[in-house]
Amino acid sequence: MSEREIVCEELNLALSRFREEGFRLDVIYPADDPHAALLSRGAEVVRLTTRPGAEPPSAAMPPFAPEFVLTSAGGDSGMGRAGMHYRDLIPGRLGGRYIASHITIAEGGPVADWVHYHRVAFQMIFVAKGWVRVVYEDQGEPFVMEAGDLVLQPPGIRHRVLDSSPGLEVIEISAPALHETFADHALDLPNQRIDRERLFDGQRFLRHVATEAPWTERNGFEAQLTGMKEASNGFADVQVLKPGSAAAIHFAGHDGELLFGFALQGSARLDAGDGFDLASGDAFVIPPGAEWGLSAATGDLRLLHVATVESA
């Protein structure tokens, strides 16, 4: 197949023009700020790009570069894939190893998505506000995710976002930061096969429903477990934390690479470094081995806590 590269100023406008000419989208990246796409029409392949010479995604995980990160709510967001708005929660990407995005859909309704999959080592979606209807390969009929619910999207699983409530907010964490989204033009979802125990590159699809999960005591706080550690084959552990009998909690240094927190609601004092006031919508990353904690937590605090268990 012949391939030609076309440099454009606005990727979305170029995509619309080539689709009108009968091309189909095959690959696009990155999801949060797309600058390159592959389209095809028969044997003809076109590569659209706004950044000629930019490094293409690699299947290998880049070296990890630890740092403390604090990202305040209300930062700028940009138009990403399928009309979704992305706010970058780890601007430095920890050497390109991890990306965390606060994704919003303001108006709701049908989402301009298609059946696709990602070349990733890890990817999770957590609903912070509103609801979204999704469908996944081998998992049966479409279902609705509501606030507090999450899914693990194992490597290569085909899926599609169908529609959402106005004001939908989700947190997406992926590794590596730069990865491709591939369209699957041959598969319709939902598909006929149901295999909820199927492994995708060693990981299993996980759907966590918050209203069905109990809370357990953890050093004066309470934690809602999600089953992420088992489903991701030991890659990551995900919990939601809230105050219990104490308004403060202390954590020893963690052994994994990523330790990410996102304040879903409420406020607290982040006891790390010089200390920081943490409010709803703020995110942070604690470097490996660093001790940290939460104090002066309001009763309505809910914190999304994501930690990689082993080096990727």
Side-chain angles (χ1 to χ4, degrees):
M1 302 176 80
S2 62
E3 179 180 329
R4 57 190 172 104
E5 181 175 275
I6 298 176
V7 179
C8 53
E9 293 186 4
E10 174 55 55
L11 186 66
N12 285 330
L13 291 177
L15 284 171
S16 296
R17 179 166 62 86
F18 274 86
R19 281 173 154 173
E20 290 173 357
E21 295 177 4
F23 284 82
R24 69 181 191 181
L25 177 64
D26 295 322
V27 184
I28 190 169
Y29 65 86
D32 64 312
D33 183 19
H35 62 73
L38 287 177
L39 300 93
S40 63
R41 184 177 61 184
E44 186 178 6
V45 177
V46 171
R47 183 178 189 272
L48 300 177
T49 181
T50 60
R51 301 179 194 174
E55 192 72 21
S58 171
M61 289 281 283
F64 177 60
E67 65 171 324
F68 172 78
V69 178
L70 180 66
T71 306
S72 298
D76 293 337
S77 62
M79 182 64 74
R81 191 189 67 80
M84 305 176 196
H85 288 267
Y86 285 68
R87 180 166 70 93
D88 197 349
L89 301 178
I90 310 178
R93 307 291 172 84
L94 305 179
R97 205 157 173 91
Y98 297 96
I99 180 173
S101 301
H102 180 199
I103 304 173
T104 59
I105 300 179
E107 296 184 359
V111 177
D113 200 13
W114 58 91
V115 177
H116 66 279
Y117 63 98
H118 309 283
R119 182 187 290 167
V120 290
F122 174 78
Q123 188 171 67
M124 59 156 278
I125 304 289
F126 181 94
V127 179
K129 292 182 180 179
W131 59 263
V132 60
R133 193 165 65 98
V134 293
V135 62
Y136 285 87
E137 178 184 6
D138 293 354
Q139 307 306 311
E141 294 298 314
F143 59 87
V144 172
M145 297 174 61
E146 298 181 335
D149 296 351
L150 70 77
V151 293
L152 169 66
Q153 297 181 166
I157 190 170
R158 275 62 171 169
H159 56 283
R160 183 181 177 187
V161 181
L162 300 172
D163 44 35
S164 79
S165 65
L168 171 71
E169 298 184 24
V170 305
I171 306 301
E172 178 181 281
I173 300 177
S174 305
L178 181 60
H179 58 268
E180 298 146 309
T181 297
F182 295 84
D184 189 329
H185 302 290
L187 182 66
D188 291 325
L189 292 179
N191 59 323
Q192 295 299 314
R193 170 177 165 169
I194 297 180
D195 184 0
R196 295 192 173 93
E197 298 303 315
R198 178 181 172 185
L199 295 179
F200 297 81
D201 199 17
Q203 299 182 27
R204 177 177 52 82
F205 175 79
L206 169 69
R207 178 189 177 190
H208 164 79
V209 180
T211 57
E212 299 176 0
W215 293 84
T216 58
E217 191 276 335
R218 182 180 181 184
N219 298 329
F221 265 47
E222 293 186 38
Q224 188 177 62
L225 308 182
T226 63
M228 179 65 73
K229 183 177 179 180
E230 295 78 10
S232 67
N233 195 25
F235 190 100
D237 193 13
V238 178
Q239 305 175 18
V240 176
L241 303 178
K242 69 177 182 179
S245 59
I249 187 172
H250 178 266
F251 296 91
H254 63 106
D255 297 328
E257 290 182 342
L258 178 71
L259 195 156
F260 170 87
F262 183 88
L264 299 163
Q265 64 182 56
S267 62
R269 182 72 174 172
L270 176 61
D271 298 321
D274 296 330
F276 303 90
D277 292 327
L278 196 65
S280 177
D282 293 347
F284 62 87
V285 173
I286 304 295
E291 296 187 1
W292 68 285
L294 297 169
S295 59
T298 58
D300 62 342
L301 176 71
R302 299 292 184 274
L303 182 83
L304 176 63
H305 179 281
V306 180
T308 56
V309 180
E310 301 175 353
S311 296

